[in-house]
Structures are given as structure tokens and as C-alpha cells.
Amino acid sequence: MGKFPANESETVEFKTSFNVETIDIMQKRIAILGSTGSIGTQALEVISEHSESFAVETLTANNNAELLIEQALRFQPDTVVIANENLYSQVSDSLKDYPIKVYAGNKALEQIVSQSNIDIVLNALVGYSGLIPTIRAIEAGKIIALANKETLVVAGELVMNLAVQHSVPIIPVDSEHSAIFQCLSGEFAPIDRIYLTASGGPFLNFPVEKLATVTKEDALKHPRWEMGAKITIDSATMMNKGFEVIEAHWLFATPDDDIKVLVHPQSIIHSMVQFKDGAIKAQLGEPSMKVPIQYALTYPDRVECNVKRVNFADYQALTFAEPDFGKFPCLDIAYKALRAGGTVPCTMNAANEVAVQAFLNEKIRYTDIYALISETIDAINKIDKPSLNDYIETDRISRLKADEILKVLTGRL
Ligand code: MN
């Protein structure tokens, strides 16, 4: 088992096609970055349901020491990392009777991915913090199961070039991109168009003039998907879908004009690919992150997954609509940032992280999220062909600028 890819005919032909070394192992050894979050906990569920196929080598968390300890006791990894250094002694004291190495700090998190006992790095970190660990894992030749879309939003060109250079596959965990990846399995023909489906989030049918007064609780009520707070707010603004357009652009080497967002409130079709002969392939299922997480870990195999099956008779109709770019300007600005290129998407991401945090802290209104992002992009110089240091510096100064603009915005309230 576990040939990767299983045979020639399963090699997916992207411009960024990977040359994967065959791994033929009984158990795939996994590092989960962000094991206490929504993706991380579901990944551990998948792994525990197929414990013969996987060994958990590394678990990392930012602040949730209690759950990290509980997971470590249950899965007995080789190593755990708690990013918040203040929580080191709590974690190490609790695990002192076990042969589990405990490290703390962001540097440890970045370095841990290159350990020789790891085959697959599942990056389930939230936000910009996922970038450097992804890069270090690629440099160490690990298979990347990528749930951290900001890696590709911020530095897609650099990351994909690095992956090709190191012959490292990046397997998407994001449900839409997993769907596209599944549609491309067995295909050699170039992509004619990608249909990236979007549920539309909680404000799809909400009057646009009332959006300024929605609360954090309103925005956190996603109709179809259970996710962490940051991505749920990104879904409410549709910035998440904008990020996913950029992610698809880099993963599948597809121009922005050929990536169409399609509002599909039932979220049964997880995305579609149209080929040059007009044929369209779609991947369907009830919304569940377990399927794309599991597929990324078992690829190219499929194994049992205990999720609800679609009963088509439950759905009188699957509906589709064009997105409303006027009502969801964050989707529009993401396309513009992608077209502008260079460090513009990096600045957009940094400003978005500042804005979402401010909204969650109830410092700004929902509609200020877009304003803050837009003003920050206008204020920061773009760098073409950025190096990693250019991205790091752009992220830093963009956050400072966004904080400044935030002060003005909150002064106004
Ligand atoms: Mn998604």
C-alpha cells in the first residue's frame, strides 16, 4: 500500500506537477501543526479510526495546553510543541512520566517539521503563522497536507516554486481545493475553468444596508460549516472565498479569469472543473471536513469514512448564483490583489488578520473590515518578485499600518 502516486496514470498533470518519490510504508508518520483546532481535532479523529495506517509523531498547539496534553496522552507522539512559552512547564510537567519530548516557542514549531521521523506535515495553523512552517517542511522534503490557505495567499509563487524544486506534493485540505484535486485525478488535459463553490455565508440574503450593524454573534453563525472563529468571519465577508481563489490559482496553475466563484447555498457540490471539451467534473458530499482531511492523508487511496451520506431526495434543488461583488467587496479585493501580484496579497492578508481580530474584539463594525483592508493596501508599497524576507517585512509593516488605521476607525466610533 501507500505508493505515491499509485501508478503513472494517476499522476495529475498541473503545470506545477510533482515528481513524487515512492513511499512504501506500513504507517504514514504524521505531524499535525495546530492539533487542537477544528481541522487538527478532526484529523486526529480520522487517524484514530485508521490507527493501523498512521502514526502521530508530532502535535503542536498555540495556547490550548490542556487539550494538547490530553491528545499527547492518548496518541503518544514523539514530540509536542506548545507555541506559547508561558505554558511550557504545564505541558512538560504533565508529560514527564512519558517518553514524549516537549518544546515551546514559535522557533521550535518551525524547526520541528524537518525531523526525520515525519512523512506528512498537516499544516492546520491559522493565518500568516502557517507560512514559515510550510516552507521549512517543503525544504525538508515532507509531503504537505495544506489546510493553512494563508500560506498560498501570502506567498503562493514562492511556495509553489519551492515545492517543485524539492519535488514535494502539496495536497489541499481545503474542501473546495480537495474537490478540484479529486476531479483532476486521472486527468492530463489542461483546465478550462474552475468553478469554486461558496455557501454564501450567513449574510447571503441579508439586506446590504443593514450589514454595518451585524454583531459578532450573527457573523459567527455559519449556515453550513462548523469552523474556527477566524475562518468563520472570513466566510461571512467572503474574504475566505477570495483567499480560495488565490489558493486555487497557485495550486492548479490556473489564471484568475478562469476561476469562477459560484454561490451554491446547499454546499453539496464542493467545487467543479471544466475541461476544454466542455465536460465538467464535480465532487459532491454532505459538508464535512473529515473527507478532505482523510483524502489528503490517504491519497491516492480511499478508505472508509464515517460521515453522513448525501440523500439526494432531501434536496429539492441544488441552486447556483453569481456572487454579489458589491455586497461582498472583500471577494472583489482578493481578485484585485491577485491581479496586482507581488506583495499585495500579503498586505491584504495582514490587514485582514488585524481587521478580523478587531471585529471579534468588538472594536470595529463588520463593514469596517473591508475599509481597513482597502486603506492598508493603498498605503503600502508593492514589491514585485518578492523574496521570503520581502514577505516577512511586508507582513510586519502592513500590520503596523493596519493598526494605525484601526486607531482612526475606532476613534470614529
Ligand atoms: Mn474552503
Side-chain angles (χ1 to χ4, degrees), residues 149 174-176 240-241 244:
K149 63 189 83 190
D174 208 344
S175 62
E176 296 79 1
N240 180 57
K241 208 49 59 179
E244 291 182 354

